[in-house]
């Protein structure tokens, strides 16, 4: 050993036994944390003194794990967004599960790189994709990939669709100055914001994205879609892909996916479905009819971290035609040679299906969730959430100081507090204030949207911990805070 070299070090613990003991304590604490979540406020703001404490310089010198863990429990753990709480219904966030937490621990202990290779994690991801394809009614051989979330999944789906239907080799030529027809994508005006980013990134641009108007139930107007496709063809543009929604972000509307599938088939267009949360409604027997046609999509993007209750991140892209999927993302790099045997067997299997080369072990939490809960659990709990949404909508309809602002086809309820004599603008301000109070008092976390220009308190239920009484409490609280803020003096219930 050369005497002038510093001693070699590793980043493993110097004392494995005290590490083990602290690890056990952390696990114990987290189990208690999950078990007692209902007893805490849904949310509280990060106090200024905590922000100040976290505003530290780069820690050049080591600190004991125990000290760092204490800081975590004091300064970080008490200030979550709140999405694991039974009364969190903001945006479309998921709750996660205790089994999912353990799976994440196991996955990060193994810490595999899942771009491919001959390893258990790769076998498991392919199995999980096959299960998900089967559950949603896609044929054997459907291709797919676990990704960060529906934004990425939808981007990948549209990329495959663009390349498959462009009529020229987009990968070789690019879109810039190609001299080819402008490529057009169609989606309802209720489609989530991922689509504008996707069109930017795919070179389609905002000009290539046609927003199609919706009917009063917030589903795409098929005749308007057909007209837009016709007009574009007549003007020399090239219609390429249609995006259908299974569960729109505002109200949870599901387009007539069977009609869209038929239309795309007849017109030679790629049919992509954004099923971010709504796709999994197809697993609930009572809700499946509304999602019919989803299984005919060329590609579908959805999340398991929303209505599948799996911890973040767990997005999924399925593509019916594996060749088209690989044709969009496949690459051959000499330094990633497929040896046919050994570790480097199919080293790029997953990397050739998306944009990530280095990727983690997302499959384990999905595999463990499905095996421990049973696949039918998703449909049951999703149906429970839809029953809760209907219960809340009923309460709103019955209360003269509350108003339902949109239909409730699935799990999203848009409501507002109202008082006679107040204008829409005054009601917007009042309801905005009610929403903030609900959040800041830690009672519940809905989010907001605008329905026909009016401010709505929006309750999106993708939460396996919510119970009917949580929604009764929400109704009582909205009314009580509304009266309080409006200065109404009444003792009426
Ligand atoms: C309908 C819809 N599509 C896409 C997305 C984007 O999903 P993610 O946040 O997983 O990227 C969302 C997110 O709420 C959504 O509701």
């Amino acid at each position: 050993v050369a005497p002038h070299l510093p001693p070699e070090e590793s980043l493993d613990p110097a004392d494995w036994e005290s590490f083990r003991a602290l690890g056990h304590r952390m696990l114990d604490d987290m189990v208690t944390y999950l078990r007692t979540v209902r007893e805490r406020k849904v949310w509280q703001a990060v106090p200024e003194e905590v922000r100040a404490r976290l505003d530290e310089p780069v820690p050049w010198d080591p600190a004991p794990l125990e000290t760092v863990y204490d800081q975590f429990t004091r300064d970080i753990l008490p200030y979550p967004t709140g999405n694991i709480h039974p009364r969190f219904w903001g945006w479309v966030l998921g709750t996660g599960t205790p089994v999912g937490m353990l799976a994440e621990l196991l996955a990060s202990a193994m810490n595999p790189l899942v771009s491919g290779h001959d390893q258990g994690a790769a076998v498991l991801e392919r199995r999980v994709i096959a299960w998900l394809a089967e559950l949603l009614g896609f044929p054997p051989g459907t291709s797919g990939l676990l990704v960060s979330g529906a934004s990425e999944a939808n981007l990948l789906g549209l990329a495959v669709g663009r390349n498959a239907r462009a009529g020229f080799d987009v990968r070789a030529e690019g879109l810039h100055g190609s001299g080819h027809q402008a490529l057009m994508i169609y989606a309802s005006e209720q489609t989530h914001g991922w689509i504008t980013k996707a069109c930017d990134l795919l070179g389609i641009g905002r000009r290539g994205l046609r927003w199609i108007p919706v009917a009063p139930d917030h589903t795409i107007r098929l005749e308007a879609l057909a007209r837009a496709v016709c007009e574009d063809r007549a003007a020399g543009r090239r219609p390429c892909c249609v995006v259908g929604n299974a569960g729109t972000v505002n109200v949870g509307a599901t387009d007539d996916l069977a009609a869209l599938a038929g239309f795309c088939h007849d017109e030679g267009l790629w049919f992509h479905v954004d099923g971010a949360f709504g796709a999994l409604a197809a697993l609930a027997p009572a809700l499946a009819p509304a999602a019919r046609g989803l299984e005919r999509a060329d590609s579908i993007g959805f999340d398991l971290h929303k209505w599948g209750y799996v911890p973040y991140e767990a997005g999924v892209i399925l593509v019916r035609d594996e060749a088209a999927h690989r044709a969009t993302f496949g690459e051959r790099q000499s330094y990633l040679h497929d040896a046919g045997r050994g570790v480097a067997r199919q080293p790029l299997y997953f990397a050739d299906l998306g944009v990530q080369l280095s990727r983690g072990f997302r499959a384990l939490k999905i595999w463990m969730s499905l095996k421990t809960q049973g696949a039918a659990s998703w449909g049951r709990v999703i149906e429970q959430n839809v029953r809760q949404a209907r219960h809340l909508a009923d309460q709103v309809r019955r209360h003269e100081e509350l108003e339902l602002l949109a239909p409730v086809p699935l799990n999203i309820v848009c409501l507002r507090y109202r008082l006679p004599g107040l204008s829409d603008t005054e009601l917007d301000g009042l309801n905005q204030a009610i929403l903030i109070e609900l959040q800041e008092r830690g009672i519940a976390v809905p989010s907001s949207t605008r329905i026909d220009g009016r401010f709505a308190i929006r309750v999106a239920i993708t939460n396996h911990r919510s119970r009917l009484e949580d929604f009764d409490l929400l109704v009582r609280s909205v009314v009580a805070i509304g009266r309080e803020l409006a200065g109404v003096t009444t003792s009426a219930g």
Side-chain angles (χ1 to χ4, degrees):
V1 178
H4 57 277
L5 291 178
E8 289 178 315
E9 63 176 324
S10 98
L11 300 175
D12 282 336
D15 174 359
W16 279 101
E17 285 316 309
S18 59
F19 176 84
R20 184 197 304 279
L22 185 56
H24 279 284
R25 205 182 102 206
M26 287 179 180
L27 185 57
D28 267 353
D29 290 352
M30 291 309 108
V31 170
T32 305
Y33 179 74
L34 290 182
R35 191 173 173 178
T36 56
V37 60
R38 178 176 278 284
E39 297 162 20
R40 292 188 292 275
K41 287 184 169 188
V42 183
W43 176 84
Q44 54 183 334
V46 184
E48 282 311 318
E49 72 265 23
V50 172
R51 288 180 204 274
R53 275 205 298 270
L54 290 171
D55 188 11
E56 296 174 298
V58 173
W60 286 105
D61 296 320
L65 178 57
E66 194 157 7
T67 314
V68 178
Y69 178 57
D70 285 346
Q71 187 178 15
F72 165 77
T73 54
R74 186 192 58 198
D75 291 343
I76 298 165
L77 189 62
Y79 309 106
T81 47
N83 54 300
I84 68 168
H85 192 284
R87 286 191 299 280
F88 189 100
W89 309 300
W91 304 276
V92 191
L93 270 60
T95 37
T97 59
V99 166
M101 173 187 76
L102 294 181
E104 290 285 68
L105 176 71
L106 305 180
S108 62
M110 282 186 78
N111 190 33
L113 172 87
V114 196
S115 48
H117 299 290
D118 195 356
Q119 57 170 328
V123 175
L124 214 59
E125 180 156 345
R126 292 175 71 163
R127 176 70 351 234
V128 161
I129 289 293
W131 282 348
L132 293 170
E134 182 180 334
L135 286 171
L136 288 185
F138 280 74
T142 294
S143 180
L145 186 72
L146 299 177
V147 294
S148 56
S151 298
E152 183 185 344
N154 290 325
L155 168 67
L156 300 188
L158 272 199
V160 181
R162 178 199 63 176
N163 290 9
R165 295 291 187 267
F168 63 96
D169 186 347
V170 176
R171 293 187 77 183
E173 299 189 34
L175 296 182
H176 180 70
S178 63
H180 295 286
Q181 292 170 292
L183 304 179
M184 303 301 293
I185 289 179
Y186 305 82
S188 97
E189 60 194 11
Q190 287 294 317
T191 304
H192 185 276
W194 66 266
I195 196 166
T196 48
K197 280 193 202 173
C199 287
D200 294 349
L201 290 171
L202 294 174
I204 301 288
R206 307 290 164 109
R207 248 198 286 165
L209 170 60
R210 283 273 228 148
W211 295 108
I212 307 299
V214 294
D217 65 359
H218 292 236
T219 62
I220 193 165
R221 285 189 184 276
L222 294 163
E223 77 292 350
L225 169 66
R227 213 169 31 245
V229 168
C230 236
E231 280 168 13
D232 283 335
R233 286 211 172 110
R237 296 181 283 264
R238 186 178 175 98
C240 214
C241 313
V242 173
V243 175
N245 280 296
T248 56
V249 63
N250 267 339
V251 308
T254 295
D255 293 330
D256 184 342
L257 300 175
L260 286 179
F263 175 78
C264 289
H265 179 264
D266 294 347
E267 297 286 335
L269 303 176
W270 186 270
F271 178 35
H272 176 82
V273 171
D274 173 14
F277 61 97
L280 292 186
L283 306 184
L287 306 171
R292 205 175 53 82
L294 167 158
E295 72 291 347
R296 289 164 64 191
D298 292 301
S299 55
I300 180 168
F302 59 100
D303 278 322
L304 298 174
H305 58 221
K306 291 186 167 75
W307 232 357
Y309 315 103
V310 169
Y312 292 102
E313 299 168 348
V316 187
I317 174 69
L318 297 179
V319 180
R320 175 181 304 274
D321 177 353
E322 188 190 0
H325 195 176
R326 281 190 185 279
T328 295
F329 297 109
E331 277 297 341
R332 281 291 157 247
Q333 313 273 5
S334 56
Y335 59 90
L336 291 167
H337 170 69
D338 184 347
R341 290 170 50 198
V343 181
R345 187 166 159 233
Q346 298 190 312
L348 290 181
Y349 182 87
F350 298 107
D352 279 350
L353 297 174
V355 292
Q356 276 186 283
L357 174 59
S358 296
R359 42 198 305 283
F361 192 4
R362 296 191 175 106
L364 186 63
K365 59 195 170 190
I366 302 167
W367 181 80
M368 282 187 115
S369 299
L370 275 168
K371 282 180 76 87
T372 58
Q373 294 166 207
S377 63
W378 277 344
R380 283 197 313 273
V381 188
I382 284 168
E383 248 173 59
Q384 172 175 300
N385 285 159
V386 172
R387 273 199 305 278
Q388 291 163 339
R390 290 180 185 155
H391 171 81
L392 174 60
D394 282 345
Q395 304 295 310
V396 171
R397 275 192 210 96
R398 282 202 209 117
H399 204 296
E400 59 179 17
E401 288 164 70
L402 297 175
E403 183 181 0
L404 206 55
L405 292 181
V408 183
L410 213 55
N411 60 332
I412 300 181
V413 183
C414 292
L415 63 111
R416 71 174 176 177
Y417 179 74
R418 68 172 172 199
L419 279 178
L422 292 191
S423 67
D424 268 342
T425 312
E426 288 166 324
L427 287 176
D428 286 354
L430 178 57
N431 279 279
Q432 190 138 29
I434 294 171
L435 177 63
I436 297 292
E437 288 300 319
L438 283 170
Q439 296 179 355
E440 291 192 337
R441 294 183 196 186
I443 299 169
V445 176
S447 56
S448 66
T449 189
R450 285 197 175 263
I451 303 288
D452 301 326
R454 296 179 297 179
F455 183 91
I457 297 174
R458 175 177 162 287
V459 179
I461 313 167
T462 46
N463 190 324
H464 63 89
R465 300 199 170 102
S466 303
R467 295 293 171 258
L468 283 178
E469 63 257 28
D470 291 313
F471 300 95
D472 297 340
L473 175 65
L474 174 72
V475 167
R476 286 198 304 278
S477 305
V478 169
V479 172
I481 296 172
R483 288 175 182 170
E484 185 187 316
L485 296 179
V488 178
T489 48
T490 170
S491 57

